[in-house]
Amino acid sequence: MTTATKPASGAAGPTTAVRPSLKVPASLGVLSLVALVFFGFLGPAKTAEMKVSEQGDAIALPALQIPGQAGGIVLAILLLAMAAYSIYLWNQGERSPKWLPIAFAVVFVFALLVWIVAGAREPSISLAGLIAGSVTLAVPLVFGSLSGVLCERVGVVNIAIEGQLLGGAFTAALVATVTHNAYVGLLAAAAAGALVSMVLAVFSIKYLVNQIIVGVVLNVLVSGLTGFLFGTVMAPDKELFNTPARLDILPIPFLSDIPIIGPILFEQSVAGYLMYVAVAVVWVGLFKTRWGLRVRAVGEHPQAADTLGINVNATRFWNVTLGGAIAGIGGAIFTLVTIDSFTKEISGGRGFIALAALIFGRWNPIGAFLASLLFGFAYNLQSILGIIGTPVPSQFMAMLPYLVTIFAVAGLVGRSRPPAASGIPYVKG
Amino acid sequence: MTTKDSNPQAGPEDGPGPEKESGAEVQAADVALDTAGGTLEPSLVPVSTQSGDTGHQQGPVLRRIVMGNGFVSVLAVFVALVLGGILIASTDPAVARTAGYFFARPSDFLSALWSAMTRSYVALFQGSVFNPRQGFSPLLETMTVATPLICAGLGVALAFRAGLFNIGAQGQIIISATLGAYAGFAWHLPLVLHLLVVIVMGVIGGAAWGAVVGLLKARTGAHEVIVTIMLNYVALFLLDFLLNTEAFRRPGDVSPISPRLDDSAVYPQLIPGSRLHLGFLVAVALTAGVWWLLNRSTIGFEFRAVGANPAAARTAGVNVQAATILVMAAAGALAGFGGIAQVAGTEKVLTGGVAAQIGFDSITVALLGRSTPWGTFFAGLLFGAFRAGAVQMQIQTGTPIDIVLVVQSLIVLFIAAPPLIRSIFGLNPGRKKRAKTAVKAAVATGGAK
């Protein structure tokens, strides 16, 4: 977010009293009015029940009881206050702080949840389960979008995230079955993702083929390869090739009993813990180390980087490879954690959602992480909606992440700016 | 497969080896032209495929043929087929068994290898072009399958020429098929009029779905790749939702499938006994139309100017924003004809899988056709043959259909990187000597940079 917005003000020129863009305050204002009308005035009469702690938790908390209409109005007023603050800041010629849109999004999603649950046939859900499920669904998205961050920050567009996830999922299932060891499977998935990435790197860096074309074609290639090998190798002998060892859930004693936070932070598989580590490492690496400065320099202005003695194409190659390895681990989640075997097209378009999360998160690891969580939440909500029975058709919930992304790239939720040299091959001289 | 082939050359630190020398130089010149020395985003269509000479294709006729793009395309198809064959053979039980005693009787292994590689392709050919039992009637099926591919491929190619990457053919097909099908089964109109209404509805739907992308790109700079990918999913879920409503379901049926389109609403059959319909001739006409548009009309020239260099086009007085919106609308309309070919020609009903993989295949079709209308047409026929033949291949030999995806994507990968293909066949004239000396130099310096 920071990198995305700052240059815009710098580009505005030397004149002092330039007002920041009205886009953020205006969209917050419109959204909060929408919330007031739909969630508040037209809100459902029933009371939404949200269970906070599961049965058998060490610390049991009572369930939240939120009356649909009154709760909607209160939350909408909160949203209005935030929008007003943003407009006030704009009026003072200041930019809205970073946390404001995020806090707004959290409250808005909660208001939406109250509205949906209170309007459902069965107005009761488990909040803890909803959030834990969202994180589980978000794990591959986080890995995928981190891969995208690493590639795009160094100036290579990675449309092949889908292929990397799928390749990782397939390899993890195959290797974990053959070796009876899930950790070897995890490593093999990383290698497979890296391999897909290397093809992307070779064709886009060495042969200067348009990166988007290579990415699109690689997705098809991996889909075909895994589908073919699934049909000829895995399907005929499932016992021998497609019953992978699982990555066990490793709960941390005591900590995992904390309501809501416990399951999402301290009751994960190795890959789940790895996700938090990866987000932190990529963020620190990109923004606090010399390596990260070089990477970003290559992605923003390769010529300048080259002048300073950085090997542009080598940096790109290894970064893209690393990104592929990370996405490969994300793919392994499908076959080693979520589902117990490989099926065709198991990634089901999650790679494109990861791409969306990366853009929505503005090419920042933490932003991509938060956006992935939001999309994971949308996925989970979609399946829960089917169970509790709501007036909103589940297909429209399913569309939401995609529509949100379109709004994001269209700059309606604030300008999103990719690294300057992203997608442009570097030819020396 | 490709990974294995390209990895040895992957190391970015390897010095100016023979391959690097040969490929990169020619293409670097193209890219420098393409991106004005790296300041512009690369055009999606390499300059070498746009009209005009880029300077490196001169020389004797023979060399021009060998270096030319058409010949490289043929070689790319050949290499992709061979690699696909190796993949088929590698999973073949007979090959694995004979490999066990390879040193005792290598001939067994080789004949098993050959039969595994060819058996599938023979079945593919018999299912798509000619077989002794049915004569050339499989060819008609190929043309039927190719029809929507050609239409949608033309849409993708047209957008390419204007420098836009239209991944949204899938969504455009879905929307046009939905609207067209609705007009086809819900309204009951006289004979010729009904089909025309169906076509118009579908084409408007596809054009609108494409124009949204152009509008967002022109007004806000939203990248069309992202927007089209997202709109594909939106269209898919919209169709899923509609097929679960009363208006689109068959009366008294709960499965998500629409009623059959009226007989007055579908393309007439061209040859009795086959599925080939009038839509194929429409596709031929569209190909000619797009050729005329691109090569003979002012607006087509503007599209190409925008694609080659938007800044220069703007300076020359082209309304780049309007051209962007218009070209995406036109691309959507062409994909829309593809959707109509599906519902009003091949399938005659609307289902959730009406667009199948056509939208994604059409991207590879346009790339293989190098974004020229007639190139796209023949690429569409080729991929139609793959699709039609793959069904027979799976029935006869048990080779999964997915092999077609592998071959298709390999073809496009190789075509996108002509230097790779030329180096596989040692077709870099005038560079061999230098390559040899470069190797010698590398050996002499111990491979140091």
Side-chain angles (χ1 to χ4, degrees):
Chain A
M1 185 170 283
T2 45
T3 48
T5 43
K6 271 175 190 162
S9 67
T15 45
T16 43
V18 179
R19 280 197 176 171
S21 160
L22 188 57
K23 269 178 182 161
V24 175
S27 24
L28 294 193
V30 171
L31 283 174
S32 55
L33 285 177
V34 168
L36 186 65
V37 172
F38 282 94
F39 306 157
F41 298 143
L42 300 176
K46 277 191 269 190
T47 297
E49 186 193 43
M50 297 189 190
K51 297 185 204 107
V52 177
S53 51
E54 303 278 318
Q55 280 180 341
D57 273 2
I59 309 154
L61 293 177
L64 287 175
Q65 302 283 351
I66 300 165
Q69 193 161 22
I73 290 178
V74 170
L75 289 168
I77 287 172
L78 197 59
L79 291 174
L80 277 174
M82 278 193 262
Y85 178 59
S86 172
I87 292 169
Y88 165 79
L89 285 180
W90 171 78
N91 200 28
Q92 298 287 310
E94 283 179 51
R95 205 164 279 287
S96 300
K98 279 188 277 186
W99 56 265
L100 194 67
I102 298 175
F104 187 91
V106 171
V107 177
F108 189 87
V109 168
F110 190 68
L112 179 73
L113 193 62
V114 170
W115 179 64
I116 287 172
V117 173
R121 240 188 358 248
E122 185 78 31
S124 166
I125 56 162
S126 161
L127 194 61
L130 180 66
I131 293 177
S134 307
V135 174
T136 309
L137 286 172
V139 175
L141 298 180
V142 173
F143 280 110
S145 56
L146 281 182
S147 162
V149 167
L150 280 174
C151 294
E152 298 228 355
R153 279 285 179 178
V154 83
V156 176
V157 175
N158 186 2
I159 302 276
I161 300 174
E162 175 76 8
Q164 293 161 349
L165 288 177
L166 194 59
F170 174 83
T171 317
L174 188 68
V175 174
T177 311
V178 173
T179 61
H180 304 291
N181 188 334
Y183 296 96
V184 179
L186 198 62
L187 281 179
L195 214 60
V196 176
S197 246
M198 279 179 175
V199 181
L200 171 68
V202 168
F203 274 87
S204 58
I205 296 170
K206 182 174 155 74
Y207 291 110
L208 307 168
V209 183
N210 185 296
Q211 296 162 1
I212 294 173
I213 291 179
V214 185
V216 168
V217 173
L218 273 179
N219 287 335
V220 181
L221 178 64
V222 175
S223 159
L225 266 181
T226 54
F228 176 81
L229 291 174
F230 176 75
T232 51
V233 177
M234 275 184 170
D237 200 345
K238 192 168 186 298
E239 282 300 309
L240 206 57
F241 295 113
N242 199 9
T243 40
R246 313 295 306 278
L247 280 179
D248 297 322
I249 304 291
L250 306 170
I252 296 174
F254 306 117
L255 289 177
S256 60
D257 286 338
I258 303 171
I260 297 186
I261 304 175
I264 60 175
L265 281 182
F266 305 111
E267 202 177 332
Q268 296 281 342
S269 63
V270 171
Y273 293 122
L274 206 60
M275 170 188 78
Y276 293 110
V277 176
V279 172
V281 167
V282 171
W283 186 81
V284 171
L286 273 181
F287 296 110
K288 303 288 169 199
T289 68
R290 188 196 303 204
W291 168 80
L293 187 63
R294 289 184 173 176
V295 164
R296 286 181 292 137
V298 168
E300 295 287 349
H301 201 316
Q303 212 144 18
D306 195 9
T307 313
L308 294 172
I310 301 170
N311 188 340
V312 171
N313 285 339
T315 311
R316 287 189 168 181
F317 180 85
W318 290 115
N319 245 54
V320 173
T321 307
L322 179 65
I326 290 180
I329 292 176
I333 311 279
F334 291 118
T335 44
L336 300 184
V337 181
T338 330
I339 308 165
D340 61 356
S341 63
F342 181 82
T343 50
K344 269 168 89 170
E345 300 292 330
I346 197 171
S347 51
R350 301 290 160 94
F352 295 116
I353 291 284
L355 189 70
L358 141 82
I359 293 163
F360 199 44
R362 300 188 181 177
W363 290 269
N364 182 316
I366 294 177
F369 171 69
L370 294 175
S372 299
L373 287 185
L374 191 66
F375 290 161
F377 180 79
Y379 266 122
N380 202 20
L381 198 58
Q382 188 192 328
S383 54
I384 285 178
L385 287 188
I387 301 166
I388 62 174
T390 58
V392 190
S394 67
Q395 289 94 346
F396 286 101
M397 280 309 296
M399 276 181 210
L400 209 57
Y402 305 100
L403 288 174
V404 164
T405 308
I406 293 175
F407 280 117
V409 290
L412 300 181
V413 205
R415 192 101 185 100
S416 61
R417 197 186 62 91
S422 188
I424 303 176
Y426 180 66
V427 184
K428 206 165 176 163
Chain B
M1 303 243 71
T2 36
T3 51
K4 274 181 201 157
D5 295 331
S6 31
N7 270 342
Q9 309 150 4
E13 282 120 324
D14 63 358
E19 248 106 52
K20 195 157 213 160
E21 184 93 275
S22 58
E25 216 168 85
V26 170
Q27 199 141 347
D30 281 357
V31 170
L33 272 176
D34 250 344
T35 60
T39 49
L40 293 172
E41 267 195 54
S43 167
L44 293 152
V45 190
V47 270
S48 48
T49 69
Q50 295 182 348
S51 52
D53 199 329
T54 50
H56 60 75
Q57 285 184 4
Q58 291 152 345
V61 178
L62 182 65
R63 182 190 290 186
R64 288 186 67 171
I65 291 172
V66 171
M67 293 287 286
N69 292 319
F71 189 66
V72 168
S73 302
V74 173
L75 288 181
V77 172
F78 175 73
V79 173
L81 282 173
V82 169
L83 285 176
I86 293 173
L87 183 65
I88 294 172
S90 68
T91 56
D92 188 83
V95 173
R97 204 177 53 244
T98 51
Y101 55 90
F102 174 73
F103 291 105
R105 281 180 66 186
S107 60
D108 276 13
F109 171 75
L110 290 177
S111 71
L113 190 70
W114 177 251
S115 94
M117 280 177 73
T118 50
R119 206 173 53 230
S120 297
Y121 288 136
V122 168
L124 189 79
F125 182 79
Q126 290 188 344
S128 60
V129 183
F130 175 82
N131 67 44
R133 259 181 313 110
Q134 298 162 290
F136 279 104
S137 71
L139 196 60
L140 301 177
E141 180 63 16
T142 291
M143 287 153 83
T144 313
V145 178
T147 304
L149 280 177
I150 294 168
C151 296
L154 285 172
V156 178
L158 184 66
F160 269 152
R161 295 298 283 270
L164 293 169
F165 204 127
N166 175 21
I167 304 194
Q170 189 79 5
Q172 292 148 12
I173 289 172
I174 289 175
I175 294 297
S176 82
T178 308
L179 284 177
Y182 185 76
F185 64 73
W187 302 343
H188 306 287
L189 301 169
L191 196 58
V192 177
L193 182 69
H194 201 172
L195 179 59
L196 283 178
V197 168
V198 167
I199 294 175
V200 168
M201 284 285 285
V203 169
I204 288 177
W209 209 247
V212 169
V213 182
L215 193 70
L216 284 175
K217 168 96 180 174
R219 291 291 146 136
T220 68
H223 201 296
E224 75 277 7
V225 169
I226 309 296
V227 178
T228 47
I229 289 175
M230 301 303 145
L231 281 180
N232 284 347
Y233 284 100
V234 173
L236 190 66
F237 288 119
L238 194 63
L239 174 62
D240 186 33
F241 166 72
L242 288 174
L243 281 174
N244 283 301
T245 59
E246 289 296 318
F248 275 80
R249 267 201 310 243
R250 291 179 180 187
D253 200 341
V254 287
S255 55
I257 182 168
S258 82
R260 226 180 125 82
L261 269 72
D262 287 3
D263 283 341
S264 56
V266 297
Y267 282 129
Q269 221 174 22
L270 282 187
I271 295 170
S274 80
R275 293 201 297 170
L276 190 65
H277 51 80
L278 189 67
F280 183 76
L281 295 184
V282 174
V284 175
L286 286 175
T287 311
V290 172
W291 180 86
W292 180 86
L293 180 81
L294 277 173
N295 296 313
R296 290 290 179 272
S297 73
T298 314
I299 191 117
F301 178 75
E302 289 189 359
F303 286 170
R304 284 189 292 141
V306 171
N309 189 337
R314 187 175 291 118
T315 313
V318 177
N319 185 343
V320 175
Q321 291 202 353
T324 304
I325 299 172
L326 205 59
V327 84
M328 280 310 296
L334 285 165
F337 275 103
I340 293 301
Q342 277 295 89
V343 287
T346 317
E347 308 245 320
K348 300 192 176 70
V349 289
L350 182 69
T351 61
V354 67
Q357 290 286 313
I358 296 166
F360 301 112
D361 282 354
S362 66
I363 301 167
T364 38
V365 164
L367 289 171
L368 176 60
R370 293 188 172 270
S371 305
T372 63
W374 289 106
T376 306
F377 180 81
F378 289 111
L381 276 182
L382 179 68
F383 281 15
F386 278 144
R387 283 277 159 194
V391 179
Q392 279 305 311
M393 179 187 73
Q394 187 165 28
I395 294 169
Q396 284 183 23
T397 66
T399 308
I401 286 182
D402 305 87
I403 192 70
V404 169
L405 288 181
V406 177
V407 173
Q408 280 180 0
S409 49
L410 286 178
I411 290 175
V412 176
L413 264 187
F414 288 136
I415 282 183
L420 178 64
I421 282 294
R422 291 202 197 102
S423 61
I424 288 175
F425 289 93
L427 284 179
N428 289 298
R431 292 176 190 279
K432 275 187 185 163
K433 231 181 248 171
R434 278 170 57 193
K436 268 183 199 159
T437 50
V439 171
K440 265 183 203 161
V443 170
T445 55
K449 278 194 278 184

